């Protein structure tokens, strides 16, 4: 990390939902440029909530969040401007069904970033090419497979040239045979130096892509470790327990 | 039934039908505008305006159109506001239809998957841009069935606007029955003209519904 300002910095972030549920109970995390952070933990531990606080989809009740050293969790922040710099991809892809692939890709650049249509189009085509979907620009989302839709959703986020990408279980709704094509795109981004916070249940993927693993439980970060150590010798009993559930599943599969 | 009489009345009814259609469609367009504004206010829970909209919707839904028209035509002049028959009819339809359209659009807005606005906001779109380019087009498609039902309902409701002395189909029919006692001919033409207006709208609406739905969701 050195002397550089972290790209994303969370300090003692507290998120309490309106029903009183404390989803984040003092979370601190610095992510440096080009770093890939894998966030894992049991269901309901606050992983999605954590990602959603970074682009302000969830307002926080305590602590602070900074982007490139600038605190964004202050009154008067222009969230649309922040969100243009922070890309997010969701589990259900959520492409806009009434727009073509190209329409999905052009919306934010032309309406928000005010990029010319021609420029946005050529950027879109270049990115589609990269994810192997150049010939699908004029198709509607429903004409694509789940894996193809998710690749388009990634491209849609990239269209704004974000400084950080937040990926929330982007393969969780996909049929197994489509997981690979989506993860390959993300691996490519990591190689190009994209800063990413990745929530995933694909442990092999987390191990392969992450520079650092964050293990969360009950709204707190319980363990931070490089993947090689986390997946072979986790320190906290909670993390050991959590990883055991995965090994058990694997053993179970072999039996079948 | 005397066929020559039908021929004689035809132009009168045609003119009245045109008026009915014109007042009806103008009223509907106004109702859509009112409904859209109300639905957006409710969707965004705009403080104060929201209470106003709720009050309007209750008032509009719980008073008959005849009463609303009476108020516009006979009540407002007492306050120094005199509206023509046609204006009364259009304002009345917009007042009545606005709340129905608001309800249709609001339920459409609520039916749009939350992930749609979440991903639009995440891309940096403002709430206004998200509504306009992402949520509203889908909401309208989802609201189409309610929308077209409302349109047909409102055209039918135009049959009461004759009470503000607007020479629409109903007015002409009543007039002819009262003066010439040619009840059968007048009634035949009345029903025929309402069918001529409403059937194409009903059929067209069904087609449009499917088309819009397909454009938005492909099913
Ligand atoms: N809008 C909400 N209102 C109230 N509570 C919520 C809301 N969203 C999430 N929660 C609660 O906050 C906690 C954290 O939720 P979150 O979605 O961040 O978990 P997660 O780690 O992403 O889980 P999963 O792996 O199942 O996606 C959960 O207990 C959840 O029930
Ligand atoms: Mg989650």
């Amino acid at each position: 990390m050195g002397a550089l300002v972290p790209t994303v910095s969370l300090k003692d972030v507290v998120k309490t939902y309106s029903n009183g549920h404390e989803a984040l109970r003092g979370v601190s995390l610095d992510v440096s440029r080009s770093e890939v952070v894998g966030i894992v933990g049991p269901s309901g531990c606050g992983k999605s909530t954590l990602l959603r606080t970074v682009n302000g989809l969830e307002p926080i009740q305590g602590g602070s969040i900074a982007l490139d050293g600038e605190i964004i969790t202050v009154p008067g922040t222009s969230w649309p401007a922040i969100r243009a710099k922070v890309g997010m991809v969701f589990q259900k892809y959520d492409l806009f069904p009434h727009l073509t692939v190209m329409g999905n890709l052009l919306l934010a650049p032309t309406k928000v970033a005010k990029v010319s249509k021609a420029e946005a189009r050529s950027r879109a085509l270049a990115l589609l090419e990269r994810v192997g979907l150049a010939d699908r620009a004029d198709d509607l989302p429903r004409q694509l497979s789940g894996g193809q839709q998710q690749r388009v959703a990634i491209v849609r986020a990239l269209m704004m040239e974000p400084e950080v990408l937040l990926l929330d279980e982007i393969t969780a709704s996909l049929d197994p045979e489509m997981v690979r094509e989506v993860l390959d795109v993300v691996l490519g981004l990591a190689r190009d130096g994209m800063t990413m916070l990745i929530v995933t249940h694909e442990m092999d993927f987390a191990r392969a892509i992450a520079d650092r693993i964050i293990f969360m439980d009950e709204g707190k970060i319980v363990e931070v470790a490089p993947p090689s150590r986390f997946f072979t010798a986790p320190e906290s009993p909670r993390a050991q327990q959590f990883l055991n559930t995965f090994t058990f599943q694997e053993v179970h599969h072999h039996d079948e | 039934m005397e066929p020559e009489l039908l021929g004689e009345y035809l132009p009168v009814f045609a003119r009245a039908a045109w008026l009915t259609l014109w007042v009806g469609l103008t009223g509907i367009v106004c109702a859509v505008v009112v409904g859209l504004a109300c639905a957006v206010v409710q969707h965004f829970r705009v403080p104060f305006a929201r209470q106003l909209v709720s009050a309007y919707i209750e008032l509009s839904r719980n008073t008959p159109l005849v009463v609303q028209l009476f108020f516009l035509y006979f009540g407002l002049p007492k306050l120094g506001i005199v509206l023509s028959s046609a204006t009364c009819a259009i304002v009345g339809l917009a007042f009545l239809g606005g709340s129905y359209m608001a309800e249709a659009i609001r339920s459409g807005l609520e039916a749009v998957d939350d992930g749609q606005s979440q991903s639009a906001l995440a891309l940096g779109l403002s709430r206004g841009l998200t509504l306009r380019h992402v949520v509203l087009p889908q909401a309208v498609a989802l609201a189409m069935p309610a929308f077209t039902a409302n349109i047909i309902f409102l055209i039918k409701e135009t049959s009461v606007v004759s009470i503000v002395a607007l020479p629409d189909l109903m007015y002409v029919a009543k007039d002819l029955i009262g003066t010439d006692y040619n009840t059968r001919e007048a009634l035949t033409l009345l029903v025929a003209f309402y069918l001529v207006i409403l059937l194409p709208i009903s059929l067209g609406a069904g087609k449009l519904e499917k088309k819009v739905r397909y454009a938005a969701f492909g099913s």
Side-chain angles (χ1 to χ4, degrees):
Chain A
M1 280 180 235
L4 286 170
V5 210
T7 303
V8 180
S9 172
L10 288 83
K11 282 207 171 39
D12 306 317
V13 170
V14 174
K15 168 72 204 180
T16 312
Y17 281 109
S18 50
N19 62 2
H21 183 83
E22 265 205 342
L24 297 179
R25 302 188 294 160
V27 170
S28 298
L29 170 67
D30 281 348
V31 182
S32 47
R33 181 152 310 284
S34 294
E35 191 183 13
V36 176
V37 174
I39 302 170
V40 301
S43 177
C45 69
K47 305 179 296 292
S48 297
T49 305
L50 175 66
L51 289 194
R52 293 163 57 81
T53 59
V54 176
N55 66 354
L57 286 178
E58 297 295 350
I60 61 175
Q61 281 68 45
S64 65
I65 299 173
L67 271 187
D68 293 324
E70 203 175 313
I71 295 187
I72 55 175
T73 47
V74 286
T77 293
S78 163
W79 283 107
I82 300 293
R83 289 174 191 147
K85 292 195 287 180
V86 181
M88 182 156 186
V89 183
F90 301 84
Q91 178 176 336
K92 285 192 295 126
Y93 0 119
D94 297 310
L95 294 180
F96 308 132
H98 58 299
L99 301 177
T100 61
V101 166
M102 187 53 83
N104 269 272
L105 302 185
L106 294 189
L107 187 61
T110 56
K111 302 291 175 201
V112 180
K114 306 281 184 203
V115 174
S116 81
K117 214 165 183 166
E119 193 187 330
R121 266 193 86 86
S122 67
R123 192 191 299 166
L125 286 173
L127 286 169
L128 282 176
E129 179 82 54
R130 205 180 134 171
V131 301
L133 293 170
D135 54 336
R136 310 307 294 268
D138 298 320
D139 286 356
L140 286 162
R142 60 174 170 269
Q143 296 169 291
L144 305 183
S145 72
Q148 291 169 331
Q149 291 192 47
Q150 192 59 293
R151 282 183 275 158
V152 172
I154 294 170
V155 168
R156 185 172 67 176
L158 294 176
M159 285 295 291
M160 296 300 278
E161 303 186 315
E163 288 172 32
V164 194
L165 261 191
L166 311 172
L167 308 182
D168 193 358
E169 295 195 39
I170 58 167
T171 58
S173 315
L174 296 177
D175 290 336
E177 71 268 21
M178 292 171 184
V179 168
R180 188 61 203 235
E181 66 192 44
V182 171
L183 294 186
D184 280 342
V185 170
V186 180
L187 281 166
L189 293 174
R191 252 178 256 119
D192 292 353
M194 175 64 81
T195 312
M196 291 190 277
L197 275 74
I198 304 177
V199 170
T200 183
H201 280 130
E202 306 276 343
M203 292 304 142
D204 291 338
F205 172 63
R207 190 173 188 161
I209 197 171
D211 299 310
R212 210 162 27 131
I213 298 290
I214 304 288
F215 173 72
M216 288 181 70
D217 191 27
E218 293 181 347
K220 284 190 167 154
I221 294 179
V222 176
E223 187 162 344
V224 182
S228 53
R229 197 173 78 220
F230 180 81
F231 289 106
T232 50
E235 278 168 9
S236 63
R238 277 301 285 130
Q240 287 162 8
Q241 214 180 348
F242 173 74
L243 289 172
N244 272 339
T245 62
F246 284 89
T247 12
F248 174 72
Q249 278 172 1
E250 274 169 30
V251 171
H252 201 79
H253 281 302
H254 289 312
D255 284 350
E256 285 173 357
Chain B
M1 179 115 58
E2 296 181 39
E4 338 50 283
L5 264 184
L6 286 180
E8 190 185 313
Y9 289 165
L10 203 60
V12 185
F13 270 91
R15 227 174 307 138
W18 182 244
L19 187 66
T20 295
L21 191 62
W22 186 79
V23 165
L25 291 184
T26 315
I28 286 164
V29 170
C30 296
V32 170
V33 174
V34 171
L36 190 61
C38 292
V40 169
V41 164
Q42 286 188 319
H43 185 69
F44 284 142
R45 303 177 200 284
V46 183
F48 187 64
R50 194 174 151 215
Q51 276 80 27
L52 222 64
V53 165
S54 299
Y56 154 68
I57 288 178
E58 289 307 316
L59 185 66
S60 155
R61 300 205 107 185
N62 294 306
T63 49
L65 179 58
V66 195
V67 173
Q68 295 167 8
L69 289 170
F70 250 68
F71 175 80
L72 291 170
Y73 196 64
F74 301 108
L76 284 186
K78 299 268 182 273
L79 304 171
I81 305 167
V82 181
L83 302 176
S84 75
S85 295
T87 312
C88 275
I90 290 166
V91 173
L93 283 172
F95 187 85
L96 175 74
S99 62
Y100 284 83
M101 292 298 184
E103 199 55 29
I105 299 169
R106 197 187 56 79
S107 64
L109 286 173
E110 267 166 28
V112 176
D113 192 300
D114 200 41
Q116 290 290 306
S117 49
Q118 294 283 305
S119 56
L121 290 172
L123 282 167
L125 272 73
S126 65
R127 297 227 294 167
L129 285 173
T130 298
L131 181 71
R132 196 169 122 214
H133 295 287
V134 175
V135 179
L136 209 49
Q138 296 179 57
V140 167
L142 289 166
M144 271 319 267
F147 233 78
T148 52
N150 287 348
I151 288 174
I152 290 163
F153 160 73
L154 287 172
I155 299 254
K156 287 191 201 160
E157 283 293 303
T158 59
S159 57
V160 306
V161 300
S162 57
I163 68 138
V164 295
L166 191 76
D168 73 326
L169 282 171
M170 208 52 195
Y171 184 96
V172 168
K174 270 193 276 185
D175 194 43
L176 289 176
I177 294 169
T179 52
D180 301 357
Y181 302 106
N182 291 319
T183 312
R184 263 175 305 184
E185 288 77 9
L187 284 182
T188 306
L189 285 170
L190 179 64
V191 172
F193 269 100
Y194 263 111
L195 284 179
V196 164
I197 293 176
L198 283 169
L199 273 182
I201 293 179
S202 288
L203 297 176
K207 282 226 177 72
L208 185 69
E209 235 168 68
K210 285 211 188 77
K211 225 173 163 165
V212 170
R213 218 195 135 70
Y214 187 81
F217 303 106
S219 57

